[in-house]
Amino acid sequence: RIIRVDWVCSKIITPRFKSQMSIPAELKLENINGIYYLSANPVHELSVIYDQNALWENVSISGGSLKKIELECKPYNFKIKADDLDSGAVVAIRIFGRELLIKCEENCLRFGKHTLPLSILGKGLDLNVIVDKLSFEVYLDGGKVYGSFLNNNSVCDYNVPYLEIASNKDILINSIFKDYYNIGKEK
């Protein structure tokens, strides 16, 4: 078993905070059509600090409408899966006011100035995002794509305590899982 922890440098200027450690991730090699990919996913031991979770299945979002889920001002782990998105769909996922923009036609996710591929094979959405006050860690396509963000675009706005999903087209989200971390609690 190989575990990776990154040192994530901050672009946020503050006298007390310079950088942070990433979420520990388990690394695995995956063979897809004869090509090996290194995948990284949060270690399963994180479930020890999960406090309260919820699961929504088969969530329909009409083009131009908004799905809104209220959040508390805490660190969260979100897992969002959609097997079949319209190729012209543009899906905005906002967490505490910060937007992850998914452009299906371009097979990409945009977060601030950064762009990540949605998936290696260009099929569906498999998003796991871990959000803390100052950072977003994004795992896509079963961990084959990873991005860690610690900058002014990743600072949560707790005045906007929602997970919001909007799309320009009708879409079906297979599942939305949310869990928040309660660090320091005893089980």
Side-chain angles (χ1 to χ4, degrees):
R1 184 167 182 212
I2 300 172
I3 307 294
R4 178 201 73 205
V5 178
D6 296 335
W7 183 247
V8 184
C9 295
S10 173
K11 304 268 189 223
I12 302 167
I13 311 277
T14 173
R16 293 187 197 158
F17 182 80
K18 299 286 183 205
S19 300
Q20 71 181 32
M21 303 300 283
S22 69
I23 295 293
E26 183 171 356
L27 303 179
K28 289 184 181 176
L29 272 179
E30 292 185 50
N31 184 337
I32 300 173
N33 299 329
I35 299 172
Y36 285 92
Y37 294 91
L38 181 64
S39 66
N41 283 293
V43 295
H44 68 273
E45 288 88 352
L46 288 174
S47 63
V48 171
I49 58 173
Y50 290 164
D51 195 32
Q52 189 176 60
N53 58 48
L55 174 67
W56 294 270
E57 294 182 301
N58 300 318
V59 178
S60 293
I61 299 173
S62 301
S65 70
L66 178 73
K67 169 72 176 168
K68 192 181 233 184
I69 298 170
E70 200 165 318
L71 303 175
E72 294 182 42
C73 299
K74 297 181 178 234
Y76 278 91
N77 182 11
F78 296 100
K79 296 176 184 172
I80 301 172
K81 293 185 187 265
D83 291 333
D84 189 27
L85 291 175
D86 185 302
S87 63
V90 176
V91 181
I93 300 172
R94 288 182 286 280
I95 305 169
F96 293 116
R98 300 300 179 208
E99 184 173 84
L100 300 156
L101 187 65
I102 294 163
K103 294 191 168 192
C104 294
E105 188 172 48
E106 297 174 26
N107 188 36
C108 74
L109 177 142
R110 292 203 175 121
F111 184 70
K113 297 177 186 176
H114 304 280
T115 302
L116 300 171
L118 274 184
S119 78
I120 300 300
L121 300 176
K123 295 181 181 177
L125 172 66
D126 180 3
L127 170 67
N128 185 2
V129 59
I130 297 176
V131 179
D132 201 352
K133 290 179 188 178
L134 301 175
S135 66
F136 276 61
E137 289 192 48
V138 177
Y139 302 82
L140 289 157
D141 197 16
K144 289 178 242 6
V145 178
Y146 169 76
S148 181
F149 305 101
L150 182 61
N151 54 46
N152 289 329
N153 290 327
S154 65
V155 176
C156 291
D157 183 350
Y158 286 150
N159 294 310
V160 188
Y162 304 104
L163 165 67
E164 300 171 312
I165 304 175
S167 174
N168 66 330
K169 305 239 179 195
D170 293 352
I171 61 170
L172 175 67
I173 304 286
N174 297 78
S175 62
I176 302 170
F177 174 82
K178 87 172 168 96
D179 205 338
Y180 71 71
Y181 295 108
N182 193 356
I183 298 171
K185 81 175 184 80
E186 293 189 26
K187 285 225 170 201

